[in-house]
Amino acid sequence: MKRAQLLKPWGTATRSLTTKLVLAFLLTSVAGVVLAAIFIRQFVTRQFDDYVLEQQRASFVDEVKTYYETHGLLTHIESAMPRRMFRVIGSRDLNAVHAMTITTPSAWR
């Protein structure tokens, strides 16, 4: 037998194993990148939603503060403020607005 014929089966097995290993590493890498992208997207989305909600709540607090400075109390605040404000904070927070103790404007300075 020729030397090339003796090495051929071993060479084919090596190429097959190399191909399988490359494909396995490639698949593992792609799966890792996909999982990382999913987790990062969820984290960024949650952080952005928290940021927007905090901005809306800060705006609401400013509106309530201005209303209180103008009227001296919080009765009928629902009619003076846009409905979107109350949708943002929710009904439990609206009840808290009515029940909260607000410091006098002189204490805000």
Side-chain angles (χ1 to χ4, degrees), residues 1-35:
M1 266 195 213
K2 292 185 178 181
R3 184 179 168 115
Q5 289 176 340
L6 290 174
L7 294 176
K8 190 173 182 178
W10 185 81
T12 305
T14 302
R15 277 188 236 129
S16 177
L17 181 60
T18 303
T19 304
K20 289 178 184 177
L21 284 174
V22 167
L23 289 176
F25 288 136
L26 185 64
L27 181 64
T28 304
S29 298
V30 169
V33 168
V34 167
L35 283 174

Side-chain angles (χ1 to χ4, degrees), residues 5-6 9 11 20-21 31 33 38 40 48 53 60 72 85 101 103:
Q5 289 176 340
L6 290 174
K20 289 178 184 177
L21 284 174
V33 168
I38 290 170
I40 289 170
F48 181 74
L53 187 59
F60 175 77
M85 291 292 224
T101 304
T103 58

Side-chain angles (χ1 to χ4, degrees), residues 91-104:
S91 61
R92 284 184 291 158
D93 291 334
L94 182 59
N95 292 333
V97 167
H98 287 294
M100 72 180 167
T101 304
I102 297 182
T103 58
T104 60

Side-chain angles (χ1 to χ4, degrees), residues 9-104:
W10 185 81
T12 305
T14 302
R15 277 188 236 129
S16 177
L17 181 60
T18 303
T19 304
K20 289 178 184 177
L21 284 174
V22 167
L23 289 176
F25 288 136
L26 185 64
L27 181 64
T28 304
S29 298
V30 169
V33 168
V34 167
L35 283 174
I38 290 170
F39 290 131
I40 289 170
R41 181 175 184 266
Q42 287 179 341
F43 176 76
V44 169
T45 300
R46 186 178 324 118
Q47 292 296 317
F48 181 74
D49 288 346
D50 290 346
Y51 171 76
V52 169
L53 187 59
E54 184 59 35
Q55 293 295 317
Q56 291 173 340
R57 285 190 177 170
S59 174
F60 175 77
V61 168
D62 289 341
E63 293 285 331
V64 170
K65 190 176 181 182
T66 302
Y67 184 89
Y68 183 77
E69 287 175 341
T70 305
H71 296 93
L73 40 102
L74 293 176
T75 55
H76 306 295
I77 192 170
E78 297 94 348
S79 61
M81 297 185 72
R83 294 304 307 165
R84 65 177 173 77
M85 291 292 224
F86 295 110
R87 269 186 259 126
V88 168
I89 63 166
S91 61
R92 284 184 291 158
D93 291 334
L94 182 59
N95 292 333
V97 167
H98 287 294
M100 72 180 167
T101 304
I102 297 182
T103 58
T104 60

